[in-house]
């Protein structure tokens, strides 16, 4: 591979089968390439390239500027482009007519970023998978996506021996960090493996692709109430609308230095990468350990753009790491994913006196964020409701409407519905869910609205305030979680008749974790249940503790009384 | 914690706290040592580390200044104890 990265071999079981001789590989691939696609260096600029367009433009304009700092390496736009090109070309050579999506299992590494760009560069949408998630869940996401190509980073090699047997269809597994995949070939003959030495050459690849604006740019999975993750496809047109609006709003330029704090399975990472690369700026991947207390990282890297969930402010504040003026270089500080406490907004503003602080709001279905509120120390404290910063006003061109339970528009409090160029049109292969959440109103059948399930209040000046959920979805450290999904796993693991997951503790409208209650069994083995949960659920969804109750308290409607259970926890 | 508490004693204090406050499902079975990385091992998450620091502060009566500390250092039992002792001396 052209980037000359260090490679390693993976050592799972069984005997070694020699790979196809390199010369033969290349001949076959080159002839296929030559017959199907010209390796031109004459990319026509009129072709619509969707999400990757801004990166490609910047790579032409700012060839040697730094594009990415990750894992101790600094990559220029040219280097990152070449790295992505090798992956893109390998995908096209190996799977020329395949499925429109490809998956990437990597995190906070060169391969993670080059993989996303490489998949897009091959004209496909990317499906981010998380090496920190349980293999079961990753396997489900991979299967549901239908991807036939999987790009894997070194940090996820440990998962492969458990993940690959779970996948029924034959995969092409691309391993840019692995020099020799012979052992994997032998152990999993149903799949095809491409080691770094077998990958196509990136240099000279012109990214001469054209995508449909309605094609999927990325497919993310969110928690689903039935126990299965739910796929949210975002189209190129949706995400281009976001990136163009935000790049202009924040006047992003090539001198900017962006944080990259979110996991790629969280859609806010799309903002970090593609708003940054849109204008030739540099992306700084926050290492796993720095992510919890990133103050030193922000200062050392002289970041100008910060984006995280508000929980980070709470942790830094608790550790006295938000001293006045400690982040003088920040131009913009953005928070999204959970309610932002007014006290935290003000505290951050004092730490970053030269920064504009904004609260962003938006479900995954509406592409990263769709409304904003700019913090103004002189008047914002009076505009907050219950100590929480408003979610503000819609991005220009996007629409909202607040409706009651009969879907009639109301003037003040109700469910928030959203429409516009950023809003996707349904869930991935899930008609029933799509029908329920994506609706049309009688007076204008043309516009498709997404029902958010978020309860909001509209102020007199049109400012929106988030009040909570109309269902059992919660946010845990910014991650969207359907409590029923946890309960499905709990029920199976405990064999209990009744199980309830309760977000706990909740501070400033945001939950740190989950506690569980079970009833209807004579005894429970807490460790066993928790282990089963850990096998099926990502970390933030695993209950911290499981309480056994003789009876689950019921409310007046005969439903399980979650409020009473939360009260029990307060007293525990 | 007494003023005379050594690094070894502080390490014991931390290990004992981790034994009773680690994340559910991560059974340490006695193998937590001074070299254990509390995050990489999965024993604590970021919130757990903060709780541990608060505990150490309450026991030592001194505030731990993490302003210029490398996160790689304070995630390891020994590193966190050394930072605490450095803070006490300052």
């Amino acid at each position: 591979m052209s980037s000359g990265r260090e490679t390693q071999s993976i050592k799972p079981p069984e005997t070694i089968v020699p790979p196809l001789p390199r010369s033969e590989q290349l001949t076959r691939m080159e002839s296929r390439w030559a017959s199907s696609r010209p390796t031109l260096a004459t990319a026509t600029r009129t072709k619509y390239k969707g999400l990757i367009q801004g990166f490609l433009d910047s790579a032409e304009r700012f060839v040697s500027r730094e594009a990415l700092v990750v894992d101790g390496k600094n990559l220029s736009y040219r280097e990152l482009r070449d790295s992505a090109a090798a992956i893109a070309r390998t995908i096209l050579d190996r799977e020329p007519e395949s499925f429109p999506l490809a998956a990437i299992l990597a995190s906070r590494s060169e391969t993670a970023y080059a993989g996303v760009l490489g998949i897009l560069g091959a004209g496909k949408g990317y499906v981010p998978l998380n090496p920190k998630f349980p293999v079961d869940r990753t396997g489900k996401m991979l299967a549901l996506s239908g991807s036939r190509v999987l790009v894997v980073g070194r940090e996820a090699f440990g998962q492969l021996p458990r993940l690959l047997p779970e996948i029924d269809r034959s995969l092409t597994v691309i391993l840019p960090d692995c020099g020799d995949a012979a052992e994997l070939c032998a152990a999993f003959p149903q799949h095809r493996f491409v080691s770094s030495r077998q990958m196509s050459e990136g240099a000279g690849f012109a990214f001469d692709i054209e995508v449909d604006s309605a094609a999927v740019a990325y497919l993310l999975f969110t928690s689903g109430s039935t126990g299965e993750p739910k796929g949210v496809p975002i189209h190129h047109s949706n995400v281009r609308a976001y990136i163009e609006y935000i790049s202009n709003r924040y006047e992003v330029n090539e001198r900017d230095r962006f944080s990259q704090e979110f996991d790629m399975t969280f859609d806010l990472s799309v903002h970090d990468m593609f708003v940054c690369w849109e204008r030739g700026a540099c992306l700084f991947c926050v290492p796993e350990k720095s992510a919890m207390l990133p103050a030193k990282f922000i200062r050392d890297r002289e970041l100008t753009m910060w984006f995280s969930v508000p929980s980070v402010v709470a942790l830094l504040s608790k550790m006295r790491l938000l001293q006045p003026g400690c982040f003088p270089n920040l131009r913009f500080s953005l928070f999204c994913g959970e309610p932002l406490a007014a006290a935290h907004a003000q505290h951050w503003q004092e730490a970053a006196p030269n920064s504009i602080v904004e609260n962003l709001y938006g479900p995954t279905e509406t592409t990263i964020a769709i409304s904003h509120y700019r913090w103004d120390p002189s008047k914002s404290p009076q505009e907050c409701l219950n100590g929480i910063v408003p979610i503000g006003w819609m991005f220009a061109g996007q629409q909202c409407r607040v409706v009651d339970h009969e879907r009639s528009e109301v003037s003040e409090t109700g469910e928030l519905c959203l429409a516009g160029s950023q809003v996707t049109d349904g869930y991935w292969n899930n008609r029933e869910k799509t029908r329920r959440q994506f609706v049309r109103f009688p007076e204008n059948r043309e516009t498709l609205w997404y029902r958010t399930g978020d309860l909001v209040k509209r102020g007199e000046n049109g400012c929106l305030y988030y009040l909570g959920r109309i269902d059992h979805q919660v946010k845990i450290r910014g991650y969207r979680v359907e409590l029923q999904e946890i309960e499905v796993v709990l029920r199976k693991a405990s064999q209990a008749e009744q199980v309830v997951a309760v977000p706990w503790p909740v501070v400033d409208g945001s939950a740190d974790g989950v506690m569980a209650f079970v009833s209807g069994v004579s005894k429970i083995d807490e460790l066993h249940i928790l282990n089963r949960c850990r096998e099926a659920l990502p970390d933030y969804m695993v209950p911290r503790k499981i309480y056994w109750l003789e009876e689950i308290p019921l409310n007046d409607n005969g439903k399980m009384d979650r409020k009473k259970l939360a009260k029990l926890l307060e007293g525990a | 914690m007494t003023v005379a508490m050594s690094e070894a004693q502080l390490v014991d204090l931390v290990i004992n706290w981790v034994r009773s406050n680690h994340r559910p499902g991560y059974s340490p079975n006695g193998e937590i040592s001074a070299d254990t990385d509390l995050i990489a091992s999965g024993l604590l998450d970021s919130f757990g580390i903060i709780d541990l620091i608060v505990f150490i502060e309450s026991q030592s009566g001194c505030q731990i200044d993490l302003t210029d500390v490398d996160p790689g250092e304070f995630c390891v039992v020994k590193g966190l104890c050394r930072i605490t002792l450095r803070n006490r001396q300052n």
Side-chain angles (χ1 to χ4, degrees):
Chain A
M1 187 179 164
S2 62
S3 63
R5 275 185 266 166
E6 279 176 38
T7 58
Q8 67 184 65
S9 63
I10 306 174
K11 304 239 179 274
E14 305 310 315
T15 51
I16 297 173
V17 172
L20 209 56
R22 183 172 156 71
S23 55
E24 198 180 333
Q25 287 271 352
L26 286 176
T27 315
R28 282 191 200 175
M29 286 188 293
E30 280 161 4
S31 68
R32 189 186 316 165
W33 175 261
S35 64
S36 60
R37 285 159 212 271
T39 50
L40 34 144
T42 53
T44 44
R45 300 295 300 279
T46 49
K47 287 184 176 174
Y48 181 82
K49 298 187 194 311
L51 178 54
I52 200 175
Q53 181 71 66
F55 172 81
L56 295 177
D57 288 347
S58 293
E60 267 185 40
R61 285 184 65 200
F62 307 107
V63 180
S64 52
R65 274 195 92 87
E66 277 181 4
L68 173 67
V69 175
V70 61
D71 209 11
K73 284 179 85 172
N74 296 27
L75 284 100
S76 68
Y77 270 91
R78 171 180 286 162
E79 288 166 331
L80 182 55
R81 184 187 187 281
D82 284 351
S83 199
I87 295 171
R89 203 178 220 180
T90 304
I91 294 172
L92 291 171
D93 286 347
R94 298 293 181 128
E95 290 282 337
E97 304 304 329
S98 129
F99 197 69
L101 298 177
I104 166 94
L105 179 61
S107 173
R108 299 178 198 270
S109 63
E110 180 182 347
T111 294
Y113 300 97
V116 166
L117 288 167
I119 291 169
L120 291 168
K124 296 180 190 300
Y126 75 94
V127 184
L129 303 172
N130 196 330
K132 288 188 293 187
F133 281 7
V135 170
D136 266 13
R137 193 175 184 83
T138 297
K140 268 185 198 165
M141 291 175 176
L142 189 54
L144 288 169
S145 78
S147 304
R148 288 159 175 77
V149 172
L150 174 66
V151 181
V152 184
R154 177 189 284 120
E155 58 282 8
F157 286 173
Q159 284 208 332
L160 287 182
R162 284 175 296 143
L163 176 66
L164 292 173
E166 303 294 314
I167 308 301
D168 291 337
R169 85 180 79 85
S170 175
L171 290 176
T172 295
V173 184
I174 300 175
L175 302 157
D177 303 324
C178 171
D180 181 1
E183 293 179 18
L184 280 174
C185 293
F188 304 104
Q190 70 273 36
H191 302 303
R192 294 177 300 277
F193 297 88
V194 187
S195 71
S196 58
R197 281 184 284 158
Q198 296 164 321
M199 285 176 66
S200 309
E201 188 62 43
F205 181 70
F207 288 91
D208 185 32
I209 48 144
E210 182 166 28
V211 295
D212 191 320
S213 65
V216 176
Y218 59 86
L219 174 70
L220 290 185
F221 286 90
T222 67
S223 175
S225 55
T226 56
E228 292 280 303
K230 191 169 63 184
V232 182
I234 297 296
H235 309 280
H236 286 282
S237 59
N238 301 138
V239 66
R240 285 301 317 167
Y242 174 87
I243 286 169
E244 282 160 26
Y245 178 75
I246 286 286
S247 307
N248 289 329
R249 178 175 175 83
Y250 301 139
E251 297 174 331
V252 177
N253 64 66
E254 71 274 16
R255 291 179 304 283
D256 274 318
R257 300 162 72 85
F258 274 67
S259 63
Q260 210 288 284
E261 206 259 352
F262 300 105
D263 283 341
M264 284 186 180
T265 34
F266 203 160
D267 68 339
L268 306 182
S269 65
V270 179
H271 165 107
D272 295 339
M273 292 187 277
F274 289 97
V275 175
C276 170
W277 293 330
E278 179 79 4
R279 298 282 174 89
C282 184
L283 188 68
F284 291 83
C285 173
V286 185
E288 191 77 46
K289 282 179 183 165
S290 296
M292 68 178 155
L293 292 175
K296 189 172 185 311
F297 188 86
I298 295 172
R299 280 197 318 277
D300 289 353
R301 298 299 190 171
E302 299 177 334
L303 299 186
T304 64
M305 295 285 203
W306 178 256
F307 193 18
S308 74
V309 290
S311 307
V312 171
V313 191
L315 291 178
L316 287 172
S317 177
K318 201 165 180 180
M319 285 296 98
R320 303 168 298 277
L321 291 170
L322 284 185
Q323 297 306 317
C326 68
F327 304 139
N329 295 309
L330 285 178
R331 289 202 310 122
F332 281 93
S333 307
L334 312 176
F335 297 99
C336 191
E338 56 189 346
L340 173 64
H344 289 156
Q346 183 56 29
H347 203 169
W348 189 277
Q349 181 71 83
E350 287 161 16
N354 304 315
S355 172
I356 285 169
V357 176
E358 284 203 345
N359 184 30
L360 301 185
Y361 159 86
T364 305
E365 290 85 342
T366 66
T367 313
I368 309 168
I370 197 164
S371 80
H372 39 37
Y373 178 89
R374 188 163 288 194
W375 181 256
D376 177 344
S378 67
K379 62 178 177 106
S380 293
Q382 295 84 51
E383 288 180 348
C384 290
L385 190 65
N386 306 322
I388 301 295
V389 178
I391 57 175
W393 287 269
M394 301 299 290
F395 289 6
Q398 310 300 321
Q399 306 167 60
C400 75
R401 119 184 339 214
V402 182
V403 301
D404 62 17
H405 61 279
E406 285 169 343
R407 297 191 200 166
S408 302
E409 189 156 17
V410 292
S411 58
E412 207 181 69
T413 300
E415 183 184 6
L416 181 64
C417 297
L418 300 166
S421 56
Q422 282 185 211
V423 181
T424 191
D425 55 2
Y427 293 108
W428 186 249
N429 293 335
N430 193 334
R431 266 198 209 163
E432 196 202 323
K433 262 274 170 198
T434 299
R435 220 176 8 241
R436 211 176 307 152
Q437 295 304 123
F438 292 85
V439 299
R440 295 177 199 277
F441 295 118
E443 61 275 21
N444 177 1
R445 303 294 303 171
E446 281 178 12
T447 306
L448 187 66
W449 292 85
Y450 169 60
R451 296 176 54 198
T452 63
D454 286 336
L455 189 66
V456 300
K457 175 184 167 177
R458 187 153 42 186
E460 279 176 13
N461 55 3
C463 182
L464 295 166
Y465 299 84
Y466 176 81
L467 299 178
R469 290 288 302 174
I470 61 168
D471 55 18
H472 295 314
Q473 189 188 98
V474 295
K475 284 288 184 89
I476 298 173
R477 297 180 228 163
Y479 290 96
R480 182 166 138 177
V481 171
E482 298 279 359
L483 292 172
Q484 291 105 314
E485 184 173 3
I486 302 175
E487 289 164 1
V488 167
V489 177
L490 274 172
R491 195 166 289 121
K492 210 186 278 178
S494 66
Q495 304 288 313
E497 282 170 23
Q498 290 182 308
V499 298
V500 190
V502 177
W504 182 265
V506 180
V507 182
D508 294 327
S510 184
D512 279 358
V514 179
M515 298 288 193
F517 293 89
V518 301
S519 178
V521 278
S522 52
K523 60 173 185 174
I524 59 164
D525 178 347
E526 187 181 14
L527 193 61
H528 166 82
I529 299 171
L530 289 172
N531 280 336
R532 295 289 84 75
C533 289
R534 280 184 42 222
E535 284 165 13
L537 300 168
D539 229 33
Y540 53 88
M541 289 172 76
V542 176
R544 292 188 180 182
K545 201 164 171 40
I546 296 178
Y547 293 93
W548 177 88
L549 293 178
E550 206 149 318
E551 271 179 20
I552 300 277
L554 302 179
N555 64 19
D556 295 343
N557 300 324
K559 292 183 175 172
M560 291 186 280
D561 194 336
R562 290 169 194 273
K563 283 184 187 156
K564 206 169 267 175
L565 290 170
K567 283 239 166 69
L568 285 178
L569 289 168
E570 271 172 40
Chain B
M1 193 173 93
T2 64
V3 178
M5 187 175 257
S6 65
E7 183 180 316
Q9 288 169 310
L10 193 51
V11 165
D12 283 345
L13 187 73
V14 169
I15 289 175
N16 283 334
W17 187 90
V18 174
R19 275 196 220 287
S20 34
N21 292 281
H22 66 80
R23 287 162 65 216
Y26 287 83
S27 177
N29 294 328
E31 71 259 19
I32 312 174
S33 74
D35 295 315
T36 300
D37 184 320
L38 297 168
I39 294 287
S41 62
L43 285 165
L44 299 182
D45 60 12
S46 50
F47 293 87
I49 282 275
I50 306 297
D51 288 345
L52 171 60
I53 293 172
V54 170
F55 167 75
I56 297 173
E57 287 184 339
S58 73
Q59 295 295 299
S60 65
C62 74
Q63 289 194 343
I64 299 175
D65 182 6
L66 295 174
T67 310
D68 290 311
V69 175
D70 173 16
E73 191 181 355
F74 69 71
C75 293
V76 176
V77 172
K78 196 164 56 184
L80 184 55
C81 295
R82 287 184 182 163
I83 295 165
T84 308
L85 293 172
R86 270 205 309 266
N87 276 267
R88 200 179 56 183
Q89 282 154 12
N90 294 337

